[in-house]
Amino acid sequence: MQIDMRNIRKTFFGAPVLKGVDFCVHSGEIHALLGENGAGKSTLMNILYGLYKPDDGTITIDGEEVSIEDPRDALSQGIGMVHQHFQLVNTLTVSENITLGLRETGYPFSKRKLIDQRIKELSETFGLDVDPAKLIKGLSVGERQRIEIMKLLYRSAKIFILDEPTAVLSPPEVESFFNVLRELRNAGNGVVIITHKIGEVMQISDRVTVLRDGEGVLQSRLEDTNEHELSKAMIGRTLTQREHEIRSIDVTSPRLVLQDVTIHDGKLSLLQNLSISIAPGEIMGIAGVDGNGQQELAEAIIGIRKLSSGTITFNGNKVDGRSIIDRMNNGMGYIPADRHNDAILLPMNLNQNLLLKKHLDPNYLNHHFLKRKKAESTTKNLIKEFFIKTPSENTAIRYLSGGNQQKFVLARELDSDLQLLIAFQPTRGLDLGATDFIQSQLLDLANRGVSILLISTDLQEIISLSDRIAVLYKGENMGILENDDQLDIALVGAMMGGKRLENQ
Amino acid sequence: MNDTALLVTNLLFASVRMAAPLTFAGIGESVSQTSGVLNIGVEGMMLGGAFTCFLVTTYTNSFLLGILAGMLVGLLFGTLHALICVTAKQDQTISGLAINFFVLGLTSFFFLVLFGQASTLPDIKTLPVVPLPLLSKIPILGPAFFSHDLLTYVLYIVIILTTIFLKKTDYGIQLIAVGENPMAADTSGIPVKRLRYFASMFNGLMCGLAGSYMMIVQFGFYIENITAGRGYIALAAVTLGRRNPVAIFFVSLLIGLTEGVQFTLQSLGVPIPSQVFSMMPYLVAVIVLLFSIGRSNDPSALGVPYDRQERS
């Protein structure tokens, strides 16, 4: 089976996302679709899967032109897709999810036993471990991903499109996941893996297509290319790796101390006896796969979440129980991971977004009335200082690129007497230029004596910035490592998968 | 049969009659909500169904035509709601409210035009009681539950069929998927909009049936705003019964029972104001809702229109 997409174009709200892209994939290969965030990879594949309609272009399967109206069409042609955000129904069982929308024997009174039998067979053939009777609610992301793939297998898909499949997996899980992909390929299927990680492309793919700004810039067999060429194609210039600089930090008098911090949600424990401390000027990196307590940790320190037990001390004072505003007034700053929901109001302009943080600051108030002029001049200064690209300070922040929005969020936090900054995924979804800028700012900040808690799922980022690294797994601290030239990256990877550091 | 047993039987019998329209409407609403379409226009759709059923029965003397007409009007409003909420993707609460007020005004107007000059309240015959063989002979419960008219037996059948539909068939699974994660349903090839239309139209049919039941079983006459908030009580029953048809029936029975107790006590001359009892269903609803805080099992996409092209 061979699929050819020719000259695909797509525009969203007037902005061209795909500018005439060619792409082809055939049975028996693992094809990497490489590109930065916003390059159009997912959009291109969503078109192949019938979720979006292309404005222009043709799709042919084995030489015959087809029109794919919706995912059902795609599936009937043998094309299946696993999205980055899993498309599973939480309140149904694994088996019900796998056969969702299918007409099995006995429909509409499907014979569950027969179905479960077949799921077990497939699960053994491809080494995908799933339990058909369990509810999706309560399953780990790894399990959910296996179910998504099983869903496609069950529908006899021949081409598997996987959108950033490794983003939610720990390094050991990635290994076994790649084995599943190889099994799929060896059984004669085609696999498309959407990714922005060049290392993954080198490790797993047979062929690679690189997208940049909605254009196909490179298509090649893996053996005919190399990492250097790929990174150049992907970002348009050569990638320079940030070297980790080993700094000596005086950790004898820590500024922030978490002692046995535990957070329960009902019976579920989100954080379990977490103890860490950060010294002035230190960058403490928190590594871990997404969803292992990072959100709770950040929110506990800034005061959004109540502790079930344990204490948080800041500059020697107990802060748990104190309000968020109180903590911020005492020098805490927070860059949330979910920029659009937790940091800014998209329809409001930069001034208003600045006031979102400053509206209680006496410097911006005149007898309870806001000093708009003052806010405007501050915003203007921040735009200049942080090279924020915007038409004006009165532009709604939604029209800024993600990188410029994030620069603004950082700038707003830095425009105060900061002593501790919680930077949660500060460069998520940003292009390399913006990432570099934000990371330099964080290092600058640390050199000026600010303590930084850097929570990131990007291990590379953690390693290049942190002085010490703690690893979160299922809400527990797997151990704290010095980030010096002795650092064992494989060990960090294993800890992200649940290995506990000995002698701690 | 002694007096207490008779009293209990009579109370239960009255409860069933009270509960039936609530359950019809509640079952419709459950199916609609399961698919993710919230419809608070139940009250208006019941009222529209009741008025139409009354009119048609008055002029044709046919129960069947009356019921069918009532259901047809319900179906129309169910379709309208789907058009507004599913196709036009507008706010479901506003649409429901609009239906309630629109129907209240419309029915009151036509009632005045058609019957405003009449000196006596127009009335229609009600359905005859048909005791079921054997079942109606069960002591106490038999006469209470199985000595009713045909439409009440239709209710029992509807309860059983919708339970099977929701819990045992693939359609039920698809409906849950559409309400819980429409994107997942869509990518699995389930026609999200079609199912939501179906659910909303079914809800309309059931509300029309509920209104018709009130006319040709419960009351036999029509006055302005005769549903008097029963649609809202049905909504409460749906929430309390967690969208389970059997549970909704029992919740409705409980609500019906409080009204039955009220009538009984009044006829016995007990000096408790009737308003106290009118409060009961709501009081029960509020208390039960208080106790179920944090245990909501609402479909995740309840009230949210589905848009495939929307980027998140």
Side-chain angles (χ1 to χ4, degrees):
Chain A
M1 181 167 171
Q2 163 125 10
I3 298 177
D4 278 286
M5 300 177 82
R6 288 264 168 268
N7 195 28
I8 303 292
R9 291 174 191 278
K10 179 75 185 172
T11 303
F12 276 117
F13 307 112
V17 179
L18 295 173
K19 307 167 187 166
V21 175
D22 293 347
F23 178 78
C24 86
V25 57
H26 54 73
S27 307
E29 71 163 347
I30 298 180
H31 192 137
L33 185 54
L34 179 70
E36 287 215 90
N37 287 302
K41 309 174 300 258
S42 299
T43 308
L44 183 67
M45 287 301 105
N46 277 329
I47 287 175
L48 183 55
Y49 192 47
L51 275 177
Y52 298 150
K53 281 207 177 71
D55 298 337
D56 195 13
T58 58
I59 302 173
T60 57
I61 296 179
D62 294 333
E64 234 171 281
E65 187 165 340
V66 291
S67 141
I68 299 173
E69 294 296 320
D70 55 28
R72 201 194 328 213
D73 271 359
L75 277 167
S76 69
Q77 302 276 9
I79 302 166
M81 180 162 176
V82 177
H83 283 87
Q84 209 171 347
H85 303 285
F86 297 148
Q87 297 301 333
L88 296 171
V89 182
N90 278 329
T91 47
L92 296 178
T93 65
V94 169
S95 157
E96 284 167 343
N97 266 283
I98 289 173
T99 59
L100 193 61
L102 293 181
R103 289 168 185 249
E104 291 299 299
T105 324
Y107 183 88
F109 297 92
S110 292
K111 304 227 174 356
R112 264 309 134 200
K113 273 188 190 150
L114 285 178
I115 292 167
D116 291 358
Q117 181 92 38
R118 204 180 143 209
I119 292 173
K120 287 218 174 90
E121 284 165 19
L122 283 172
S123 121
E124 276 158 28
T125 316
F126 289 94
L128 283 159
D129 184 23
V130 300
D131 178 354
K134 273 194 185 157
L135 279 182
I136 298 295
K137 214 178 338 196
L139 294 188
S140 74
V141 275
E143 285 171 290
R144 285 173 199 229
Q145 188 167 51
R146 291 200 287 274
I147 291 156
E148 286 277 20
I149 293 174
M150 181 64 82
K151 209 170 146 181
L152 300 183
L153 271 174
Y154 196 95
R155 281 147 215 260
S156 345
K158 294 277 171 271
I159 301 287
F160 294 73
I161 306 165
L162 308 164
D163 194 352
E164 305 261 358
T166 57
V168 293
L169 301 178
S170 68
E173 280 177 308
V174 170
E175 226 10 84
S176 71
F177 173 72
F178 280 172
N179 284 332
V180 172
L181 295 192
R182 290 185 191 108
E183 287 287 335
L184 284 173
R185 174 191 58 194
N186 297 344
N189 298 296
V191 177
V192 179
I193 169 169
I194 300 176
T195 181
H196 62 263
K197 294 176 186 159
I198 292 170
E200 262 172 23
V201 177
M202 302 308 293
Q203 196 185 340
I204 185 81
S205 69
D206 304 314
R207 218 147 56 96
V208 55
T209 297
V210 185
L211 287 191
R212 187 172 75 229
D213 289 335
E215 287 175 276
V217 288
L218 181 85
Q219 172 144 179
S220 166
R221 289 154 56 88
L222 193 73
E223 54 261 39
D224 301 336
T225 186
N226 56 47
E227 286 187 46
H228 184 75
E229 190 185 24
L230 288 179
S231 77
K232 206 171 160 197
M234 178 167 89
I235 60 179
R237 60 183 167 88
T238 324
L239 182 74
T240 46
Q241 280 280 347
R242 178 183 291 278
E243 282 298 313
H244 172 58
E245 172 198 352
I246 298 168
R247 308 180 304 151
S248 62
I249 307 280
D250 175 16
V251 294
T252 48
S253 53
R255 180 174 279 152
L256 177 81
V257 180
L258 275 74
Q259 189 68 47
D260 291 324
V261 167
T262 299
I263 296 180
H264 292 296
D265 179 15
K267 278 181 198 154
L268 219 65
S269 101
L270 302 170
L271 283 183
Q272 188 67 47
N273 291 327
L274 196 79
S275 301
I276 44 174
S277 60
I278 311 176
E282 183 184 26
I283 300 183
M284 168 65 97
I286 306 285
V289 179
D290 210 5
N292 274 291
Q294 290 96 331
Q295 183 86 31
E296 290 74 19
L297 174 63
E299 294 187 349
I301 298 173
I302 197 69
I304 298 169
R305 265 177 201 269
K306 286 206 172 66
L307 307 188
S308 304
S309 64
T311 56
I312 299 175
T313 345
F314 183 54
N315 282 332
N317 300 316
K318 203 163 157 274
V319 292
D320 39 295
R322 307 253 294 272
S323 71
I324 301 172
I325 198 82
D326 193 51
R327 297 181 205 210
M328 288 190 161
N329 287 341
N330 280 305
M332 282 194 192
Y334 178 36
I335 300 177
D338 186 350
R339 197 162 48 235
H340 290 173
N341 282 315
D342 296 345
I344 52 179
L345 293 172
L346 285 172
M348 293 198 157
N349 66 35
L350 272 65
N351 281 323
Q352 291 163 324
N353 271 294
L354 178 85
L355 285 168
L356 193 59
K357 167 129 181 154
K358 304 284 189 189
H359 68 283
L360 290 174
D361 184 337
N363 293 327
Y364 290 83
L365 289 175
N366 181 14
H367 299 100
H368 298 286
F369 287 95
L370 291 170
K371 290 185 188 165
R372 291 196 176 275
K373 287 258 163 60
K374 161 106 176 146
E376 267 172 40
S377 73
T378 308
T379 311
K380 273 186 190 158
N381 281 337
L382 292 180
I383 291 172
K384 222 182 290 167
E385 251 180 84
F386 287 82
F387 309 104
I388 299 170
K389 269 188 225 151
T390 171
S392 83
E393 73 279 4
N394 292 315
T395 306
I397 203 163
R398 73 156 73 247
Y399 298 112
L400 273 59
S401 73
N404 284 299
Q405 290 174 351
Q406 190 71 337
K407 280 186 197 172
F408 174 81
V409 172
L410 179 71
R412 191 176 62 183
E413 292 308 303
L414 299 195
D415 184 52
S416 58
D417 227 352
L418 208 57
Q419 295 192 28
L420 167 77
L421 179 66
I422 305 160
F424 188 5
Q425 301 274 35
T427 62
R428 177 193 269 182
L430 304 190
D431 61 46
L432 282 158
T435 300
D436 191 62
F437 180 86
I438 302 268
Q439 291 181 344
S440 311
Q441 290 287 332
L442 292 179
L443 279 174
D444 260 18
L445 213 54
N447 287 330
R448 278 186 272 141
V450 175
S451 309
I452 296 178
L453 183 76
L454 173 67
I455 307 174
S456 178
T457 52
D458 180 353
L459 191 53
Q460 197 54 51
E461 175 167 76
I462 295 273
I463 290 170
S464 65
L465 297 180
S466 317
D467 301 306
R468 285 188 296 160
I469 298 171
V471 182
L472 269 187
Y473 177 75
K474 292 194 172 163
E476 287 189 67
N477 186 355
M478 291 292 113
I480 296 178
L481 298 163
E482 288 293 333
N483 188 11
D484 48 26
D485 35 15
Q486 316 276 305
L487 183 78
D488 178 358
I489 296 179
L491 175 63
V492 180
M495 287 162 74
M496 284 166 75
K499 182 182 159 63
R500 204 178 288 273
L501 195 61
E502 312 273 319
N503 63 50
Q504 274 257 315
Chain B
M1 200 184 275
N2 60 34
D3 284 355
T4 329
L6 189 64
L7 184 68
V8 171
T9 298
N10 285 343
L11 259 180
L12 282 176
F13 181 86
S15 307
V16 172
R17 290 224 152 153
M18 269 300 304
L22 302 183
T23 315
F24 273 128
I27 284 175
E29 180 73 16
S30 305
V31 170
S32 180
Q33 286 191 10
T34 303
S35 82
V37 180
L38 178 71
N39 183 359
I40 64 165
V42 169
E43 169 82 7
M45 300 199 306
M46 280 171 76
L47 186 59
F51 182 67
T52 315
C53 173
F54 176 75
L55 266 191
V56 172
T57 313
T58 304
Y59 290 121
T60 65
N61 273 321
S62 160
F63 290 130
L64 186 65
L65 285 180
I67 293 172
L68 288 178
M71 288 173 74
L72 182 69
V73 165
L75 180 70
L76 284 178
F77 280 107
T79 314
L80 177 70
H81 187 65
L83 199 67
I84 294 169
C85 303
V86 181
T87 303
K89 297 174 189 139
Q90 296 304 311
D91 189 291
Q92 303 183 356
T93 308
I94 303 290
S95 169
L97 271 182
I99 288 176
N100 285 343
F101 287 113
F102 175 69
V103 175
L104 179 59
L106 197 70
T107 51
S108 301
F109 173 72
F110 278 113
F111 184 66
L112 275 180
V113 168
L114 295 171
F115 302 101
Q117 306 300 319
S119 51
T120 54
L121 210 54
D123 59 0
I124 52 175
K125 279 197 300 244
T126 52
L127 279 178
V129 167
V130 185
L132 288 182
L134 293 178
L135 285 174
S136 60
K137 300 284 187 255
I138 301 168
I140 303 181
L141 295 183
F145 287 95
F146 302 109
S147 193
H148 281 273
D149 54 281
L150 287 177
L151 209 47
T152 308
Y153 302 139
V154 170
L155 173 70
Y156 297 159
I157 295 169
V158 166
I159 293 174
I160 294 167
L161 287 185
T162 44
T163 305
I164 294 172
F165 174 84
L166 286 173
K167 309 280 171 196
K168 296 284 173 206
T169 68
D170 291 303
Y171 303 126
I173 294 174
Q174 293 176 4
L175 211 60
I176 293 171
V178 165
E180 188 66 31
N181 189 343
M183 182 84 171
D186 192 8
T187 52
S188 305
I190 296 172
V192 175
K193 291 188 175 175
R194 205 184 307 160
L195 278 191
R196 287 189 167 176
Y197 258 90
F198 156 78
S200 190
M201 288 160 79
F202 175 75
N203 189 10
L205 273 183
M206 286 298 113
C207 289
L209 197 54
S212 305
Y213 184 97
M214 291 177 67
M215 288 300 98
I216 62 174
V217 176
Q218 247 181 317
F219 292 96
F221 61 85
Y222 185 89
I223 49 168
E224 257 184 73
N225 189 21
I226 193 160
T227 46
R230 281 179 178 77
Y232 298 112
I233 300 185
L235 286 179
V238 171
T239 306
L240 298 181
R242 308 236 152 169
R243 284 172 290 281
N244 174 338
V246 178
I248 290 170
F249 180 58
F250 282 108
V251 170
S252 303
L253 268 185
L254 189 69
I255 294 169
L257 195 66
T258 60
E259 289 208 24
V261 170
Q262 167 196 346
F263 291 132
T264 313
L265 289 183
Q266 269 175 341
S267 61
L268 293 176
V270 179
I272 298 175
S274 67
Q275 285 84 350
V276 171
F277 287 96
S278 313
M279 282 169 23
M280 288 307 278
Y282 301 100
L283 205 61
V284 172
V286 169
I287 290 170
V288 177
L289 287 179
L290 267 179
F291 280 106
S292 55
I293 280 176
R295 278 190 282 134
S296 158
N297 67 342
D298 283 351
S300 304
L302 183 60
V304 187
Y306 176 60
D307 188 352
R308 184 189 286 172
Q309 290 268 356
E310 201 169 75
R311 301 187 85 188
S312 52

